[in-house]
Amino acid sequence: MSRTPASKPGRIGHMGFDDEIERSAAPVFVRAALERMVEADPDLLDRLREDDRMRRSLLAVVAASRSLTRLLEGHPDARGILADLDARPPVDNATVEHLVHWKHLEYLRIAARDLTGLDDLEATGQALTRLAIDVLESACAMSLAEGLAVIGMGKLGGQELNYSSDIDVVFVSEGRREDIEPLARQVMGIAKQCFRVDANLRPEGRDGPLVRSIDSYEAYWDRWAEPWEFQALLKAMPVAGDAALGRRWHDTAQRWLWSRPFSADDLRSLRTMKRRAEAEVTKRGLADREIKRGPGGIRDIEFTVQLLQLVHGHSDPALRSPNTLATLRELAAADYIGDDDANLLGQSYRFYRAVEHRLQLVDDQQVHTLPTNEAAVDQLARVLGYRDSVEGTAVERLRSELRRRQVTVRSIHERIYFRPLLEAFAGATEAMSPEAAVERLTAFGFTDAKRTQAAVRELTRGLNRSSRLMQQLLPLLLDWLSTSPDPDLGLLMLRNLFGTAERTRLLVEAFRDSAEVAQRLCTLVGTSRLLGDTIAHNPDLVARLPYEERLLTLPRDQLVASARAAIAWRGELADRQEALRRWKDRHLLGIAARDIFGHASLETVGEDLTRLAEATLEAALASLDPRVPFAVIGMGRFGGAELSYPSDLDVLFVYEGTSTTATEEASRVATRLVRFVGGSTPAERIFEVDADLRPEGKQGPLARSFDGFLSYWRDYAQTWERQAMVRARPVAGDRDLAERLLGALEPRVWGTGLTPDEVLEIRRMKARVENERIPPGEDPLFHLKLGRGSLSDVEFTAQMLQLRSGVRATGTLPALAALERADVLDGSDADVLAEAYRYCGEVRNRWFLVNSAPSDSLPTQPEPLRWLARSLDTTPTELRERYRRVTRRARRVVERVFYGQQG
């Protein structure tokens, strides 16, 4: 069927439709075949000239198929079939020869309808399936095979046969094997005159009996069947013989298929089997040309669909169709697969099957591989409708589309077929009604039964409307929520997350692609209402949860650029505040998530929060456009780069200039900066800004000039102010100005050590803090910040030792390490203080997230204490006992080293 650019009139001369011949996929072959037919049947030419439909059908068939061309040349009645493609010839099973000839005629009609575009892929597959079923029914009737049911497997059962498919069957009968098996073989023998019939999918394959009873099938499925055999049952359908028996067998098979748990081991087994089949194709060097078993081919699509059926079909009967395209549509409708992925897989499946059909029509051979002969590939491309164009030759365009489809399908297949959510579902695929969910709540650790029952019902109603995938996911979600600190809170937050169609869509897509997304989301919303609310406002962040690199805090320069971009185009202060607050919350979620997932130490959390605060101040300050050199100096934990979640931003504001104009501008900038970042109300707050460590405290100007700072420090600075400057550091604005000021103050802060009176003053101030600063309602015995042996004890001790020795380090933990290296602090004492600092800092951070509000002492109520303890993977008793241990040891060091007590 080689092609030349143009064909010359043959013996018959012009036919009257020569242009159509030239436009066919194989002009030379078509003209030669027509000449032979017309020579044998001279009336044919007139019929073709007069009958447009017959002519188009004949040209399309002859251009595509040598085997059908031979049929048309040898059987005049075959040419008559093309005159009316709507008229299906009646089944003729008078003899085997009659049945074979009828099969060829109907096969021709189906092919002609396909090649002329009257039928799409699904209609063609159904027509070929009906043809095969009629042959099997005729074979049963001709064999007098009573009491025998024929079950179609594979593409026969799925009503998606190819032109040269094997007809996969198994047989069932309740009769005696010695009586019924010869009849089954006779049925196969007749059917094999029309099709390749394969019964090797039966239990034990070729070594097993050809016919089994239903009980025998059940015994085999119970004890011996492999996962792939249950996969094969997806497409099992009664097709011929005893209809009632066939239905009984099918009902039994369905019960075994869908009541049997689909385990993670089954999942791995099927993946291994497929991997071996692919390796064989690759070994034979056919990966690029094999459209069925090669990477990105038909099998990738079919296995993806079937695996999703096996995983989800236990709970969703709508997924139990044996047909690939029908199931693919249902998977998309129920959100088990995204619409885009489903469309691409469906389009690629139709493309591959069209190529497969055209390959098989050439010589009625079971072919799935592109030919190596270029002329044959050219012929294939043209039968498929490709023509040479500016985009390339017909062959180049076909190969380009094939490569594109292979890459696309493989990518989707690997993303779905190997996604972890399938592992999570395997063995846990029972869907839950609201009633069933409620029954499990107590066992799962949910305590507020009435509120939680209402949440489950509301959530399930919403999931039923939006996604059957999510309905199935509910048991897993409840399992994961049960391991979170507060399952009741988690369920309520999860219900709130599904409050809008947009959020539901984002969550379904994220859950579908990753079980870890769902599991980690359950952990976060079951830990913190604050984080749950952040996610509700930023549902796109959910997809980042499994990827630590996507949760990392950016370097400072990138954070600053990002913060500035977030507010750059907004004019009103309120709009800029809102944008910056949303920006901060999005980045805070990453910090908190890494903390909760155990991927960030106390030091890392402190550094990340500090960078976030610095970027916030830089962006806010830049938007105010200071007209004098203006700098922000971080103090306290902010200056030490060791912020906690509830920390205020302790700051000093310094500007350059002595004029009234400069003073007024600096005051404007400082006031507006505090208002911008601190907000006028808690709802507007981005960070709490505290400038009370400035000279003269609240009584002094908010911003002070460079010279004003030097004058104050020369004449009025007190010991506590020296101590505060231990952690002072430039954090925003004019860095050179800030560094010059700190350099100028350095001799006053560090140069003189501490006199005995100054040491006594620091000790007295610390004692006042212990006695006066713990707010009412907070437990002084378990106070994480101001309690004996807790954070403030360690900070005061480190700072006093630094001032006495001149050892400089920014931050408490780095200071302890530096003091140890300088032999100012004994190594064991440094370890004890560092342990207490880390423990109290970590618990305080976590309690803020769990409580979703600042609180510096361990909770006194049992429930909040339990939530906090679970979040830290411990028990309430052990949490309090460890607090006692580490703070008691730290306090002993503080009393000896800080207070100078002996013994």
Side-chain angles (χ1 to χ4, degrees), residues 231 268-280 292-304 410 413 417-418:
Q231 182 182 6
R268 285 189 288 272
S269 173
L270 294 181
R271 286 172 173 168
T272 299
M273 181 183 69
K274 185 173 182 299
R275 186 167 57 247
R276 288 172 180 165
E278 282 183 6
E280 183 60 29
K292 181 177 181 180
R293 291 178 288 268
I298 292 172
R299 278 287 186 263
D300 273 5
I301 300 172
E302 292 177 334
F303 267 64
T304 298
R410 189 61 172 186
H413 167 74
Y417 194 73
F418 295 99

PDB file of all heavy atoms in Angstrom, residues 231 268-280 292-304 410 413 417-418:
ATOM      1  N   GLN A 231      -8.322  -7.616  39.491  1.00  0.00           N
ATOM      2  CA  GLN A 231      -8.336  -6.498  38.546  1.00  0.00           C
ATOM      3  C   GLN A 231      -9.050  -6.904  37.256  1.00  0.00           C
ATOM      4  O   GLN A 231      -9.821  -6.123  36.690  1.00  0.00           O
ATOM      5  CB  GLN A 231      -6.907  -6.053  38.243  1.00  0.00           C
ATOM      6  CG  GLN A 231      -6.820  -4.856  37.301  1.00  0.00           C
ATOM      7  CD  GLN A 231      -5.387  -4.471  36.985  1.00  0.00           C
ATOM      8  OE1 GLN A 231      -4.442  -5.150  37.377  1.00  0.00           O
ATOM      9  NE2 GLN A 231      -5.205  -3.383  36.262  1.00  0.00           N
ATOM     10  N   ARG A 268       0.954  -2.690  45.528  1.00  0.00           N
ATOM     11  CA  ARG A 268       2.351  -2.894  45.127  1.00  0.00           C
ATOM     12  C   ARG A 268       2.475  -4.027  44.114  1.00  0.00           C
ATOM     13  O   ARG A 268       3.282  -3.957  43.180  1.00  0.00           O
ATOM     14  CB  ARG A 268       3.205  -3.181  46.368  1.00  0.00           C
ATOM     15  CG  ARG A 268       3.476  -1.940  47.214  1.00  0.00           C
ATOM     16  CD  ARG A 268       4.486  -2.230  48.299  1.00  0.00           C
ATOM     17  NE  ARG A 268       3.926  -3.060  49.350  1.00  0.00           N
ATOM     18  CZ  ARG A 268       3.284  -2.570  50.393  1.00  0.00           C
ATOM     19  NH1 ARG A 268       3.125  -1.280  50.533  1.00  0.00           N
ATOM     20  NH2 ARG A 268       2.807  -3.374  51.322  1.00  0.00           N
ATOM     21  N   SER A 269       1.671  -5.062  44.277  1.00  0.00           N
ATOM     22  CA  SER A 269       1.722  -6.191  43.349  1.00  0.00           C
ATOM     23  C   SER A 269       1.350  -5.768  41.938  1.00  0.00           C
ATOM     24  O   SER A 269       2.014  -6.142  40.967  1.00  0.00           O
ATOM     25  CB  SER A 269       0.779  -7.305  43.840  1.00  0.00           C
ATOM     26  OG  SER A 269       0.685  -8.335  42.894  1.00  0.00           O
ATOM     27  N   LEU A 270       0.296  -4.984  41.807  1.00  0.00           N
ATOM     28  CA  LEU A 270      -0.131  -4.534  40.481  1.00  0.00           C
ATOM     29  C   LEU A 270       0.896  -3.598  39.867  1.00  0.00           C
ATOM     30  O   LEU A 270       1.171  -3.649  38.662  1.00  0.00           O
ATOM     31  CB  LEU A 270      -1.487  -3.841  40.586  1.00  0.00           C
ATOM     32  CG  LEU A 270      -2.663  -4.722  41.001  1.00  0.00           C
ATOM     33  CD1 LEU A 270      -3.952  -3.915  41.046  1.00  0.00           C
ATOM     34  CD2 LEU A 270      -2.821  -5.906  40.054  1.00  0.00           C
ATOM     35  N   ARG A 271       1.478  -2.754  40.686  1.00  0.00           N
ATOM     36  CA  ARG A 271       2.515  -1.859  40.165  1.00  0.00           C
ATOM     37  C   ARG A 271       3.723  -2.654  39.678  1.00  0.00           C
ATOM     38  O   ARG A 271       4.308  -2.339  38.640  1.00  0.00           O
ATOM     39  CB  ARG A 271       2.947  -0.877  41.257  1.00  0.00           C
ATOM     40  CG  ARG A 271       1.916   0.217  41.533  1.00  0.00           C
ATOM     41  CD  ARG A 271       2.313   1.033  42.754  1.00  0.00           C
ATOM     42  NE  ARG A 271       1.427   2.175  42.943  1.00  0.00           N
ATOM     43  CZ  ARG A 271       1.405   2.913  44.051  1.00  0.00           C
ATOM     44  NH1 ARG A 271       2.201   2.617  45.058  1.00  0.00           N
ATOM     45  NH2 ARG A 271       0.583   3.942  44.146  1.00  0.00           N
ATOM     46  N   THR A 272       4.085  -3.672  40.426  1.00  0.00           N
ATOM     47  CA  THR A 272       5.226  -4.506  40.024  1.00  0.00           C
ATOM     48  C   THR A 272       4.943  -5.231  38.718  1.00  0.00           C
ATOM     49  O   THR A 272       5.796  -5.297  37.829  1.00  0.00           O
ATOM     50  CB  THR A 272       5.542  -5.525  41.137  1.00  0.00           C
ATOM     51  OG1 THR A 272       5.875  -4.822  42.333  1.00  0.00           O
ATOM     52  CG2 THR A 272       6.697  -6.417  40.734  1.00  0.00           C
ATOM     53  N   MET A 273       3.762  -5.777  38.587  1.00  0.00           N
ATOM     54  CA  MET A 273       3.395  -6.484  37.361  1.00  0.00           C
ATOM     55  C   MET A 273       3.466  -5.549  36.156  1.00  0.00           C
ATOM     56  O   MET A 273       4.009  -5.900  35.103  1.00  0.00           O
ATOM     57  CB  MET A 273       1.991  -7.062  37.502  1.00  0.00           C
ATOM     58  CG  MET A 273       1.524  -7.853  36.282  1.00  0.00           C
ATOM     59  SD  MET A 273      -0.174  -8.438  36.472  1.00  0.00           S
ATOM     60  CE  MET A 273      -1.070  -6.895  36.395  1.00  0.00           C
ATOM     61  N   LYS A 274       2.960  -4.364  36.307  1.00  0.00           N
ATOM     62  CA  LYS A 274       2.979  -3.413  35.193  1.00  0.00           C
ATOM     63  C   LYS A 274       4.411  -3.007  34.868  1.00  0.00           C
ATOM     64  O   LYS A 274       4.783  -2.856  33.704  1.00  0.00           O
ATOM     65  CB  LYS A 274       2.141  -2.180  35.521  1.00  0.00           C
ATOM     66  CG  LYS A 274       2.047  -1.221  34.347  1.00  0.00           C
ATOM     67  CD  LYS A 274       1.094  -0.099  34.633  1.00  0.00           C
ATOM     68  CE  LYS A 274       0.988   0.802  33.421  1.00  0.00           C
ATOM     69  NZ  LYS A 274       2.268   1.425  33.058  1.00  0.00           N
ATOM     70  N   ARG A 275       5.218  -2.809  35.885  1.00  0.00           N
ATOM     71  CA  ARG A 275       6.613  -2.422  35.659  1.00  0.00           C
ATOM     72  C   ARG A 275       7.356  -3.494  34.875  1.00  0.00           C
ATOM     73  O   ARG A 275       8.153  -3.193  33.983  1.00  0.00           O
ATOM     74  CB  ARG A 275       7.286  -2.159  37.006  1.00  0.00           C
ATOM     75  CG  ARG A 275       8.702  -1.605  36.872  1.00  0.00           C
ATOM     76  CD  ARG A 275       9.201  -1.070  38.210  1.00  0.00           C
ATOM     77  NE  ARG A 275       9.179  -2.076  39.254  1.00  0.00           N
ATOM     78  CZ  ARG A 275       8.381  -2.027  40.312  1.00  0.00           C
ATOM     79  NH1 ARG A 275       7.524  -1.040  40.453  1.00  0.00           N
ATOM     80  NH2 ARG A 275       8.421  -2.976  41.239  1.00  0.00           N
ATOM     81  N   ARG A 276       7.068  -4.755  35.154  1.00  0.00           N
ATOM     82  CA  ARG A 276       7.730  -5.844  34.420  1.00  0.00           C
ATOM     83  C   ARG A 276       7.310  -5.862  32.961  1.00  0.00           C
ATOM     84  O   ARG A 276       8.129  -6.094  32.064  1.00  0.00           O
ATOM     85  CB  ARG A 276       7.391  -7.183  35.079  1.00  0.00           C
ATOM     86  CG  ARG A 276       8.084  -7.402  36.420  1.00  0.00           C
ATOM     87  CD  ARG A 276       7.569  -8.646  37.101  1.00  0.00           C
ATOM     88  NE  ARG A 276       8.210  -8.871  38.391  1.00  0.00           N
ATOM     89  CZ  ARG A 276       7.759  -9.708  39.309  1.00  0.00           C
ATOM     90  NH1 ARG A 276       6.634 -10.411  39.070  1.00  0.00           N
ATOM     91  NH2 ARG A 276       8.393  -9.861  40.442  1.00  0.00           N
ATOM     92  N   ALA A 277       6.012  -5.636  32.732  1.00  0.00           N
ATOM     93  CA  ALA A 277       5.534  -5.611  31.343  1.00  0.00           C
ATOM     94  C   ALA A 277       6.188  -4.480  30.565  1.00  0.00           C
ATOM     95  O   ALA A 277       6.574  -4.636  29.404  1.00  0.00           O
ATOM     96  CB  ALA A 277       4.015  -5.457  31.331  1.00  0.00           C
ATOM     97  N   GLU A 278       6.343  -3.319  31.193  1.00  0.00           N
ATOM     98  CA  GLU A 278       6.998  -2.197  30.533  1.00  0.00           C
ATOM     99  C   GLU A 278       8.461  -2.510  30.263  1.00  0.00           C
ATOM    100  O   GLU A 278       9.004  -2.140  29.218  1.00  0.00           O
ATOM    101  CB  GLU A 278       6.891  -0.947  31.401  1.00  0.00           C
ATOM    102  CG  GLU A 278       5.537  -0.276  31.353  1.00  0.00           C
ATOM    103  CD  GLU A 278       5.520   0.998  32.184  1.00  0.00           C
ATOM    104  OE1 GLU A 278       6.580   1.403  32.684  1.00  0.00           O
ATOM    105  OE2 GLU A 278       4.446   1.588  32.312  1.00  0.00           O
ATOM    106  N   ALA A 279       9.119  -3.157  31.211  1.00  0.00           N
ATOM    107  CA  ALA A 279      10.530  -3.487  31.035  1.00  0.00           C
ATOM    108  C   ALA A 279      10.722  -4.399  29.831  1.00  0.00           C
ATOM    109  O   ALA A 279      11.713  -4.283  29.093  1.00  0.00           O
ATOM    110  CB  ALA A 279      11.076  -4.142  32.305  1.00  0.00           C
ATOM    111  N   GLU A 280       9.783  -5.293  29.611  1.00  0.00           N
ATOM    112  CA  GLU A 280       9.888  -6.200  28.463  1.00  0.00           C
ATOM    113  C   GLU A 280       9.770  -5.425  27.152  1.00  0.00           C
ATOM    114  O   GLU A 280      10.502  -5.682  26.184  1.00  0.00           O
ATOM    115  CB  GLU A 280       8.792  -7.262  28.551  1.00  0.00           C
ATOM    116  CG  GLU A 280       8.840  -8.315  27.451  1.00  0.00           C
ATOM    117  CD  GLU A 280      10.123  -9.107  27.423  1.00  0.00           C
ATOM    118  OE1 GLU A 280      10.749  -9.284  28.495  1.00  0.00           O
ATOM    119  OE2 GLU A 280      10.524  -9.553  26.321  1.00  0.00           O
ATOM    120  N   LYS A 292       0.518   0.580  22.895  1.00  0.00           N
ATOM    121  CA  LYS A 292      -0.317  -0.090  23.893  1.00  0.00           C
ATOM    122  C   LYS A 292       0.422  -0.254  25.219  1.00  0.00           C
ATOM    123  O   LYS A 292      -0.016   0.244  26.252  1.00  0.00           O
ATOM    124  CB  LYS A 292      -0.773  -1.450  23.376  1.00  0.00           C
ATOM    125  CG  LYS A 292      -1.680  -2.207  24.345  1.00  0.00           C
ATOM    126  CD  LYS A 292      -2.144  -3.520  23.741  1.00  0.00           C
ATOM    127  CE  LYS A 292      -3.071  -4.266  24.692  1.00  0.00           C
ATOM    128  NZ  LYS A 292      -3.538  -5.557  24.121  1.00  0.00           N
ATOM    129  N   ARG A 293       1.555  -0.932  25.190  1.00  0.00           N
ATOM    130  CA  ARG A 293       2.248  -1.278  26.432  1.00  0.00           C
ATOM    131  C   ARG A 293       3.422  -0.359  26.742  1.00  0.00           C
ATOM    132  O   ARG A 293       4.011  -0.465  27.810  1.00  0.00           O
ATOM    133  CB  ARG A 293       2.732  -2.727  26.365  1.00  0.00           C
ATOM    134  CG  ARG A 293       1.617  -3.747  26.387  1.00  0.00           C
ATOM    135  CD  ARG A 293       2.153  -5.164  26.274  1.00  0.00           C
ATOM    136  NE  ARG A 293       2.648  -5.432  24.927  1.00  0.00           N
ATOM    137  CZ  ARG A 293       1.914  -5.962  23.963  1.00  0.00           C
ATOM    138  NH1 ARG A 293       0.652  -6.278  24.192  1.00  0.00           N
ATOM    139  NH2 ARG A 293       2.434  -6.180  22.767  1.00  0.00           N
ATOM    140  N   GLY A 294       3.795   0.520  25.816  1.00  0.00           N
ATOM    141  CA  GLY A 294       4.922   1.405  26.048  1.00  0.00           C
ATOM    142  C   GLY A 294       4.595   2.504  27.054  1.00  0.00           C
ATOM    143  O   GLY A 294       3.428   2.789  27.345  1.00  0.00           O
ATOM    144  N   PRO A 295       5.619   3.162  27.605  1.00  0.00           N
ATOM    145  CA  PRO A 295       5.382   4.265  28.548  1.00  0.00           C
ATOM    146  C   PRO A 295       4.525   5.359  27.920  1.00  0.00           C
ATOM    147  O   PRO A 295       4.780   5.815  26.811  1.00  0.00           O
ATOM    148  CB  PRO A 295       6.801   4.783  28.843  1.00  0.00           C
ATOM    149  CG  PRO A 295       7.707   3.624  28.528  1.00  0.00           C
ATOM    150  CD  PRO A 295       7.060   2.898  27.386  1.00  0.00           C
ATOM    151  N   GLY A 296       3.499   5.757  28.642  1.00  0.00           N
ATOM    152  CA  GLY A 296       2.614   6.795  28.141  1.00  0.00           C
ATOM    153  C   GLY A 296       1.579   6.301  27.158  1.00  0.00           C
ATOM    154  O   GLY A 296       0.903   7.103  26.509  1.00  0.00           O
ATOM    155  N   GLY A 297       1.409   4.979  27.042  1.00  0.00           N
ATOM    156  CA  GLY A 297       0.486   4.410  26.074  1.00  0.00           C
ATOM    157  C   GLY A 297      -0.857   4.023  26.678  1.00  0.00           C
ATOM    158  O   GLY A 297      -1.245   4.477  27.766  1.00  0.00           O
ATOM    159  N   ILE A 298      -1.548   3.141  25.939  1.00  0.00           N
ATOM    160  CA  ILE A 298      -2.906   2.752  26.341  1.00  0.00           C
ATOM    161  C   ILE A 298      -2.925   2.111  27.727  1.00  0.00           C
ATOM    162  O   ILE A 298      -3.808   2.389  28.539  1.00  0.00           O
ATOM    163  CB  ILE A 298      -3.500   1.789  25.294  1.00  0.00           C
ATOM    164  CG1 ILE A 298      -3.737   2.527  23.975  1.00  0.00           C
ATOM    165  CG2 ILE A 298      -4.814   1.186  25.786  1.00  0.00           C
ATOM    166  CD1 ILE A 298      -4.145   1.624  22.827  1.00  0.00           C
ATOM    167  N   ARG A 299      -1.954   1.252  27.997  1.00  0.00           N
ATOM    168  CA  ARG A 299      -1.947   0.571  29.290  1.00  0.00           C
ATOM    169  C   ARG A 299      -1.812   1.556  30.456  1.00  0.00           C
ATOM    170  O   ARG A 299      -2.376   1.346  31.529  1.00  0.00           O
ATOM    171  CB  ARG A 299      -0.809  -0.456  29.338  1.00  0.00           C
ATOM    172  CG  ARG A 299      -1.134  -1.767  28.684  1.00  0.00           C
ATOM    173  CD  ARG A 299      -2.124  -2.568  29.540  1.00  0.00           C
ATOM    174  NE  ARG A 299      -2.337  -3.892  28.993  1.00  0.00           N
ATOM    175  CZ  ARG A 299      -3.333  -4.233  28.215  1.00  0.00           C
ATOM    176  NH1 ARG A 299      -4.242  -3.331  27.888  1.00  0.00           N
ATOM    177  NH2 ARG A 299      -3.455  -5.465  27.759  1.00  0.00           N
ATOM    178  N   ASP A 300      -1.040   2.618  30.252  1.00  0.00           N
ATOM    179  CA  ASP A 300      -0.938   3.619  31.320  1.00  0.00           C
ATOM    180  C   ASP A 300      -2.307   4.190  31.649  1.00  0.00           C
ATOM    181  O   ASP A 300      -2.643   4.407  32.818  1.00  0.00           O
ATOM    182  CB  ASP A 300      -0.003   4.754  30.887  1.00  0.00           C
ATOM    183  CG  ASP A 300       1.460   4.459  31.203  1.00  0.00           C
ATOM    184  OD1 ASP A 300       1.748   3.343  31.667  1.00  0.00           O
ATOM    185  OD2 ASP A 300       2.299   5.345  30.977  1.00  0.00           O
ATOM    186  N   ILE A 301      -3.093   4.465  30.632  1.00  0.00           N
ATOM    187  CA  ILE A 301      -4.428   5.024  30.861  1.00  0.00           C
ATOM    188  C   ILE A 301      -5.318   3.980  31.519  1.00  0.00           C
ATOM    189  O   ILE A 301      -6.001   4.259  32.519  1.00  0.00           O
ATOM    190  CB  ILE A 301      -5.038   5.509  29.540  1.00  0.00           C
ATOM    191  CG1 ILE A 301      -4.164   6.597  28.921  1.00  0.00           C
ATOM    192  CG2 ILE A 301      -6.458   6.033  29.764  1.00  0.00           C
ATOM    193  CD1 ILE A 301      -4.576   7.000  27.522  1.00  0.00           C
ATOM    194  N   GLU A 302      -5.331   2.766  30.967  1.00  0.00           N
ATOM    195  CA  GLU A 302      -6.205   1.725  31.503  1.00  0.00           C
ATOM    196  C   GLU A 302      -5.846   1.372  32.941  1.00  0.00           C
ATOM    197  O   GLU A 302      -6.736   1.225  33.797  1.00  0.00           O
ATOM    198  CB  GLU A 302      -6.126   0.484  30.615  1.00  0.00           C
ATOM    199  CG  GLU A 302      -6.742   0.699  29.241  1.00  0.00           C
ATOM    200  CD  GLU A 302      -6.595  -0.506  28.333  1.00  0.00           C
ATOM    201  OE1 GLU A 302      -5.643  -1.302  28.534  1.00  0.00           O
ATOM    202  OE2 GLU A 302      -7.409  -0.654  27.413  1.00  0.00           O
ATOM    203  N   PHE A 303      -4.555   1.232  33.232  1.00  0.00           N
ATOM    204  CA  PHE A 303      -4.156   0.870  34.590  1.00  0.00           C
ATOM    205  C   PHE A 303      -4.461   1.994  35.564  1.00  0.00           C
ATOM    206  O   PHE A 303      -4.823   1.746  36.720  1.00  0.00           O
ATOM    207  CB  PHE A 303      -2.667   0.509  34.627  1.00  0.00           C
ATOM    208  CG  PHE A 303      -2.394  -0.952  34.444  1.00  0.00           C
ATOM    209  CD1 PHE A 303      -2.707  -1.593  33.260  1.00  0.00           C
ATOM    210  CD2 PHE A 303      -1.837  -1.699  35.460  1.00  0.00           C
ATOM    211  CE1 PHE A 303      -2.468  -2.937  33.082  1.00  0.00           C
ATOM    212  CE2 PHE A 303      -1.594  -3.055  35.304  1.00  0.00           C
ATOM    213  CZ  PHE A 303      -1.911  -3.686  34.109  1.00  0.00           C
ATOM    214  N   THR A 304      -4.304   3.231  35.132  1.00  0.00           N
ATOM    215  CA  THR A 304      -4.643   4.357  36.005  1.00  0.00           C
ATOM    216  C   THR A 304      -6.116   4.300  36.374  1.00  0.00           C
ATOM    217  O   THR A 304      -6.493   4.412  37.551  1.00  0.00           O
ATOM    218  CB  THR A 304      -4.328   5.689  35.305  1.00  0.00           C
ATOM    219  OG1 THR A 304      -2.927   5.757  35.036  1.00  0.00           O
ATOM    220  CG2 THR A 304      -4.732   6.871  36.175  1.00  0.00           C
ATOM    221  N   ARG A 410       2.116   9.825  30.328  1.00  0.00           N
ATOM    222  CA  ARG A 410       3.037   9.266  31.323  1.00  0.00           C
ATOM    223  C   ARG A 410       3.099  10.152  32.558  1.00  0.00           C
ATOM    224  O   ARG A 410       3.134   9.661  33.700  1.00  0.00           O
ATOM    225  CB  ARG A 410       4.429   9.124  30.714  1.00  0.00           C
ATOM    226  CG  ARG A 410       5.392   8.336  31.613  1.00  0.00           C
ATOM    227  CD  ARG A 410       4.887   6.926  31.832  1.00  0.00           C
ATOM    228  NE  ARG A 410       5.849   6.081  32.517  1.00  0.00           N
ATOM    229  CZ  ARG A 410       5.700   4.803  32.732  1.00  0.00           C
ATOM    230  NH1 ARG A 410       4.599   4.199  32.311  1.00  0.00           N
ATOM    231  NH2 ARG A 410       6.610   4.110  33.356  1.00  0.00           N
ATOM    232  N   HIS A 413      -0.141   9.673  34.464  1.00  0.00           N
ATOM    233  CA  HIS A 413      -0.161   8.319  35.025  1.00  0.00           C
ATOM    234  C   HIS A 413       0.722   8.220  36.262  1.00  0.00           C
ATOM    235  O   HIS A 413       0.294   7.690  37.302  1.00  0.00           O
ATOM    236  CB  HIS A 413       0.322   7.337  33.957  1.00  0.00           C
ATOM    237  CG  HIS A 413       0.647   5.974  34.488  1.00  0.00           C
ATOM    238  ND1 HIS A 413      -0.316   5.066  34.861  1.00  0.00           N
ATOM    239  CD2 HIS A 413       1.844   5.359  34.714  1.00  0.00           C
ATOM    240  CE1 HIS A 413       0.262   3.962  35.289  1.00  0.00           C
ATOM    241  NE2 HIS A 413       1.566   4.116  35.218  1.00  0.00           N
ATOM    242  N   TYR A 417      -1.037   7.237  39.459  1.00  0.00           N
ATOM    243  CA  TYR A 417      -0.845   5.813  39.717  1.00  0.00           C
ATOM    244  C   TYR A 417       0.067   5.584  40.920  1.00  0.00           C
ATOM    245  O   TYR A 417      -0.074   4.597  41.628  1.00  0.00           O
ATOM    246  CB  TYR A 417      -0.251   5.168  38.472  1.00  0.00           C
ATOM    247  CG  TYR A 417      -0.303   3.654  38.438  1.00  0.00           C
ATOM    248  CD1 TYR A 417      -1.505   2.990  38.228  1.00  0.00           C
ATOM    249  CD2 TYR A 417       0.850   2.894  38.585  1.00  0.00           C
ATOM    250  CE1 TYR A 417      -1.550   1.610  38.168  1.00  0.00           C
ATOM    251  CE2 TYR A 417       0.805   1.510  38.521  1.00  0.00           C
ATOM    252  CZ  TYR A 417      -0.399   0.871  38.310  1.00  0.00           C
ATOM    253  OH  TYR A 417      -0.445  -0.488  38.254  1.00  0.00           O
ATOM    254  N   PHE A 418       0.983   6.529  41.160  1.00  0.00           N
ATOM    255  CA  PHE A 418       1.920   6.351  42.253  1.00  0.00           C
ATOM    256  C   PHE A 418       1.716   7.366  43.371  1.00  0.00           C
ATOM    257  O   PHE A 418       2.580   7.526  44.216  1.00  0.00           O
ATOM    258  CB  PHE A 418       3.363   6.455  41.724  1.00  0.00           C
ATOM    259  CG  PHE A 418       3.718   5.348  40.778  1.00  0.00           C
ATOM    260  CD1 PHE A 418       3.667   5.552  39.411  1.00  0.00           C
ATOM    261  CD2 PHE A 418       4.074   4.092  41.236  1.00  0.00           C
ATOM    262  CE1 PHE A 418       3.978   4.534  38.515  1.00  0.00           C
ATOM    263  CE2 PHE A 418       4.376   3.067  40.362  1.00  0.00           C
ATOM    264  CZ  PHE A 418       4.327   3.285  39.000  1.00  0.00           C
TER     265      PHE A 418
END
